Amino acid sequence: QVHLVESGGGLVQAGGSLRLSCAASGRTFQNYLMGWFRQAPGKEREFVAAVSRSGGTPYYADSVKDRFTISRDNAKNTVFLQMNSLKLEDTAVYYCAAESGSFIYTPRKYDYWGQGTQVTVSA
């Protein structure tokens, strides 16, 4: 069992930055692919980024490529999402998720989810 808790969301002006953190419980954190998803009002939950178990391989949605950076610290059971050059369309609830398999982009395949943290980007 894995318990995930996100933090770091908030209100930021367009062009600004935020760093989200996701703290995971358990002794098997490194066994999971870790992902970030987001959901805006009226929209489906969408893939944002993911990182391999070792932390060596990141994956990004085209919409955030070159602006966001995902990383993980396995010694601290934590995954991060550094968000730079934020745009109004980045406004959403951001969720951290853990996947025991290899389904990087599919929300329904992730095994565990955090409660979400709100990110609001203002003009």
Side-chain angles (χ1 to χ4, degrees):
Q1 303 298 306
V2 178
H3 185 235
L4 305 173
V5 179
E6 303 98 332
S7 62
L11 177 64
V12 64
Q13 292 184 1
S17 298
L18 284 174
R19 188 181 76 158
L20 306 184
S21 298
C22 174
S25 67
R27 300 186 296 270
T28 58
F29 177 70
Q30 197 168 174
N31 291 343
Y32 295 90
L33 179 82
M34 297 299 299
W36 287 96
F37 293 79
R38 67 187 182 187
Q39 188 166 23
K43 295 186 176 181
E44 298 293 321
R45 189 168 299 188
E46 66 173 347
F47 171 79
V48 176
V51 63
S52 64
R53 290 160 174 82
S54 69
T57 305
Y59 307 87
Y60 299 102
D62 288 343
S63 59
V64 307
K65 193 180 304 179
D66 300 323
R67 298 189 298 120
F68 292 9
T69 302
I70 189 170
S71 61
R72 66 192 293 165
D73 185 342
N74 288 339
K76 297 185 180 296
N77 280 15
T78 306
V79 61
F80 305 96
L81 185 68
Q82 179 66 47
M83 305 185 294
N84 298 325
S85 302
L86 283 161
K87 305 174 179 179
L88 268 62
E89 51 263 45
D90 294 319
T91 295
V93 177
Y94 284 71
Y95 297 91
C96 176
E99 159 72 286
S100 62
S102 301
F103 297 93
I104 300 169
Y105 307 104
T106 308
R108 69 179 183 274
K109 293 296 186 179
Y110 279 71
D111 301 282
Y112 304 102
W113 293 84
Q115 82 290 345
T117 185
Q118 177 71 48
V119 172
T120 302
V121 183
S122 64

